[in-house]
Amino acid sequence: MRFTVADARTDPLPAAGYDLVVTNFFLDCFRPLELAAVVDRIAGACAAHAVWVDGDFRLPTEGWVRPVARGLLAVMYAFFRLTTRLSAHELIDPAPLLAALGFAQVAEETQLRGFLSSRLWVRGAGADATGHG
Ligand SMILES: C[S@@+](CC[C@H](N)C(=O)[O-])C[C@H]1O[C@@H](n2cnc3c(N)ncnc32)[C@H](O)[C@@H]1O
């Protein structure tokens, strides 16, 4: 096993054909254009049938929890922007980017009424088996 510390926005990723990617509370660190570039670069280093596990905060789609989650996210982003060099201002759902790169969401587990989610994506798996976009 090899660990590398690098900036995911700029570090050249080897065309290694990775078969597993795990991005837990990572993709929420990027602004929209950065996120698109990072997802594109990681996907470019993946194998044709790669599996991608993405766990992160999500904005719930409906109900009272949605405005509460929106408020919590605003406070969290303000805090992390103050205390770290985080450039992102808001949570961007990477789902459309992954789907556009040929990944299909095949499972999702959620907690806190959808505020926390872990999604399983498989490249080349065809239709979204969860029914989510
Ligand atoms: C909220 S932490 C999550 C850490 C870990 N994945 C976890 O779930 O505990 C976000 C991580 O993303 C890393 N990170 C943020 N921007 C990055 C970048 N441009 N390149 C590489 N790592 C980055 C941070 O250093 C931090 O370790």
Side-chain angles (χ1 to χ4, degrees):
M1 187 178 291
R2 188 165 60 90
F3 292 93
T4 303
V5 179
D7 189 333
R9 295 167 298 184
T10 53
D11 195 66
L13 290 172
Y18 294 116
D19 51 21
L20 174 65
V21 174
V22 179
T23 48
N24 284 336
F25 301 96
F26 173 66
L27 297 180
D28 59 355
C29 294
F30 300 104
R31 299 163 81 105
L33 288 179
E34 289 176 338
L35 177 63
V38 167
V39 169
D40 188 59
R41 297 176 74 244
I42 295 173
C46 283
H49 300 288
V51 172
W52 190 324
V53 180
D54 180 44
D56 222 320
F57 300 103
R58 310 279 178 224
L59 188 59
T61 51
E62 56 189 12
W64 61 266
V65 71
R66 184 175 166 85
V68 172
R70 196 190 290 279
L72 280 173
L73 286 166
V75 171
M76 288 161 59
Y77 271 92
F79 175 77
F80 285 116
R81 282 176 57 79
L82 267 177
T83 56
T84 73
R85 287 179 292 163
L86 185 73
S87 63
H89 290 82
E90 59 179 344
L91 185 66
I92 310 289
D93 189 341
L97 298 169
L98 280 154
L101 290 164
F103 287 84
Q105 185 185 313
V106 298
E108 180 176 33
E109 294 286 332
T110 62
Q111 293 283 319
L112 301 178
R113 296 178 181 266
F115 186 46
L116 291 175
S117 129
S118 182
R119 293 174 178 159
L120 180 65
W121 296 83
V122 178
R123 192 177 228 175
D128 177 349
T130 66
H132 296 294

